[in-house]
Amino acid sequence: MSGSSKPPLIWLNIFIFLSSFIVATVVVPWYGITLGYGAEHLIWFVVAFSFCNLSITAGYHRLWSHKTFEAHWSLRLLFAIGGAFALQNSALHWSSDHRIHHKHVDNNDKDPYSAKRGFWFSHIGWMLREYNANTYTDYSNCRDLQKDKIVMWQHKYYVPLAIATNFGIPILLGAIYGDMIGMLLVVGVLRLVLSHHSTFFINSLAHIWGSQPYTDKNTARDNGVLAVFTFGEGYHNYHHIFENDYRNGIYWWQYDPTKWLIKSCSWLGLTKKLRVTPKLKIEKAKAKQALTTASKNVSSLPNAKLLNEALNKEFEELMVKMSDYYDVKKQMLEAKRADLTQKYERSLLKVRYQQMKSDLAAQRKSWEMLVAQYA
């Protein structure tokens, strides 16, 4: 929003954020010191916290905002209930805001939580004033979601669902374990505050702190530490260039429990049509960004022109080797599917594949050694 005048404050949001934060930082520890908490408080806190955050990351974000997979109605229902429990508005509203964010990322006038307006604004400030009043009734960018009966049911009954989950679940647990106040504090308030801010980090810290291995055309960053607190959403630089991939952490060693949940559910028949970015596309983006970084870093050197020529030549050779390798790999997979009976033809293809793999490995090593000098 341009101009010096600020839109009206949203007093309900201010009350919820401020009161819950005070209770979580003052009353929760005071109650623990004076009366104590048991293992049941910790166990149900972890369960409720995970349920809320995964409902946002897997449901609101990767399922509904980006359509990276399809889910069974029972899983969608769980995500809808968990999203209301997380108290982050309806899935329809959240997805609408998020799609605008991706379409206009870092545009201070159009991105609802533009990181270029500072940490405070992108983290929580954008929800404290009527910055995006026009989006509260306009969901034209989510016509697909308006066909989802569960999304529309949750949107219609969001307030009663939010009240029922945020009070009903802790009260029920309190009745079971004989500690109503303790459960309301831990599973109710503490869980809510930590769920809020760990999710808000995706809009703020994930656009400030970390590396940019895939693109520098926006502020999004990859951060393995942040991924731990955000259930895998910390690999945000990757996500902003390949938003239709159901994964954020694409390597097996990257912490992405949201990806693991979606994949595990596919084995149970609860999710299907998981969308994955082709490896060639990922590798090309990564190499292109490495070239951009190296070119910027050598621009001030006296022999910049020669160095840039060398970098571009090496880059072009890498692209050729990469395309050749993935082309042969594709042929190998097709040959296996076709179950070719001609051993000679298959053996030739295998030899070519191994050669291409070796050539690409050598070229990749040469490229990495070159760009490392100017990283």
Side-chain angles (χ1 to χ4, degrees):
M1 179 179 168
S2 301
S4 57
S5 59
K6 290 185 177 180
L9 292 164
I10 305 174
W11 289 107
L12 177 61
N13 286 4
I14 292 169
F15 172 75
I16 291 170
F17 290 137
L18 187 60
S19 61
S20 60
F21 184 78
I22 291 169
V23 172
T25 55
V26 178
V27 183
V28 170
W30 170 81
Y31 189 88
I33 292 166
T34 54
L35 295 170
Y37 297 115
E40 66 274 15
H41 294 89
L42 176 62
I43 291 166
W44 282 107
F45 164 78
V46 172
V47 170
F49 177 71
S50 300
F51 176 43
C52 286
N53 279 44
L54 286 168
S55 293
I56 297 297
T57 60
Y60 277 32
H61 190 207
R62 303 191 199 184
L63 171 64
W64 285 314
S65 293
H66 295 295
K67 311 290 281 186
T68 66
F69 65 100
E70 291 180 11
H72 189 266
W73 70 264
S74 58
L75 192 60
R76 299 201 321 272
L77 181 62
L78 273 176
F79 288 154
I81 293 167
F85 193 18
L87 206 65
Q88 292 192 33
N89 221 312
S90 71
L92 181 67
H93 187 98
W94 198 101
S95 299
S96 179
D97 272 347
H98 193 71
R99 288 179 181 185
I100 295 168
H101 164 66
H102 269 264
K103 188 177 180 180
H104 303 289
V105 62
D106 298 332
N107 183 323
N108 288 352
D109 293 322
K110 294 180 179 179
D111 184 348
Y113 29 88
S114 174
K116 287 195 172 180
R117 296 186 70 170
F119 173 82
W120 173 257
F121 179 85
S122 60
H123 189 73
I124 198 171
W126 70 280
M127 292 177 281
L128 303 182
R129 290 181 180 274
E130 297 275 10
Y131 289 104
N132 308 294
N134 62 313
T135 65
Y136 293 169
T137 52
D138 178 22
Y139 300 110
S140 57
N141 64 342
C142 291
R143 287 194 180 95
D144 56 320
L145 299 186
Q146 291 178 50
K147 296 174 186 174
D148 188 323
K149 290 180 181 178
I150 290 172
V151 168
M152 297 313 292
W153 166 78
Q154 192 233 30
H155 183 70
K156 185 178 180 179
Y157 298 107
Y158 172 75
V159 173
L161 280 169
I163 292 169
T165 50
N166 279 277
F167 288 98
I169 293 172
I171 287 170
L172 177 63
L173 290 170
I176 293 169
Y177 292 100
D179 184 7
M180 201 79 72
I181 302 298
M183 284 297 181
L184 276 166
L185 288 173
V186 175
V187 179
V189 183
L190 182 63
R191 180 270 320 161
L192 179 65
V193 171
L194 292 179
S195 180
H196 271 166
H197 290 283
S198 58
T199 306
F200 299 166
F201 278 149
I202 302 163
N203 299 335
S204 55
L205 270 186
H207 282 264
I208 297 168
W209 178 32
S211 61
Q212 293 183 300
Y214 300 100
T215 180
D216 62 358
K217 296 191 184 302
N218 59 65
T219 55
R221 302 288 200 274
D222 270 13
N223 191 312
V225 175
L226 203 54
V228 176
F229 297 101
T230 59
F231 286 73
E233 301 285 292
Y235 302 106
H236 213 52
N237 187 252
Y238 177 84
H239 172 64
H240 261 273
I241 191 171
F242 302 119
E243 64 185 59
N244 295 319
D245 197 320
Y246 87 95
R247 312 159 303 168
N248 273 16
I250 58 170
Y251 302 109
W252 69 266
W253 45 266
Q254 290 180 318
Y255 185 80
D256 188 355
T258 304
K259 169 188 70 177
W260 302 332
L261 172 69
I262 296 166
K263 187 66 177 177
S264 299
C265 285
S266 72
W267 299 331
L268 301 171
L270 295 172
T271 61
K272 62 181 181 179
K273 296 184 181 178
L274 279 58
R275 297 170 72 181
V276 174
T277 308
K279 287 184 178 180
L280 176 59
K281 204 172 179 181
I282 296 169
E283 283 212 55
K284 281 187 172 181
K286 204 168 182 179
K288 191 176 179 182
Q289 182 53 38
L291 175 66
T292 301
T293 303
S295 295
K296 282 180 183 176
N297 292 340
V298 304
S299 61
S300 59
L301 298 176
N303 56 341
K305 190 178 178 182
L306 286 171
L307 290 172
N308 262 312
E309 285 176 2
L311 282 165
N312 279 285
K313 185 183 177 184
E314 196 75 18
F315 175 77
E316 291 301 327
E317 287 179 9
L318 178 67
M319 290 299 103
V320 171
K321 292 281 196 304
M322 210 178 271
S323 295
D324 288 346
Y325 167 72
Y326 281 104
D327 184 51
V328 175
K329 189 176 182 180
K330 186 182 177 183
Q331 289 178 46
M332 281 282 291
L333 290 170
E334 286 172 354
K336 283 181 181 178
R337 288 195 197 103
D339 193 26
L340 293 178
T341 53
Q342 293 182 10
K343 289 183 179 180
Y344 178 69
E345 192 177 334
R346 283 191 70 172
S347 63
L348 277 179
L349 192 59
K350 193 172 182 180
V351 168
R352 191 172 167 222
Y353 170 75
Q354 292 297 342
Q355 184 60 52
M356 291 293 180
K357 188 176 182 180
S358 177
D359 289 349
L360 177 59
Q363 189 63 48
R364 192 184 280 132
K365 189 177 180 182
S366 176
W367 167 253
E368 286 171 355
M369 285 175 67
L370 180 63
V371 294
Q373 297 174 56
Y374 311 107

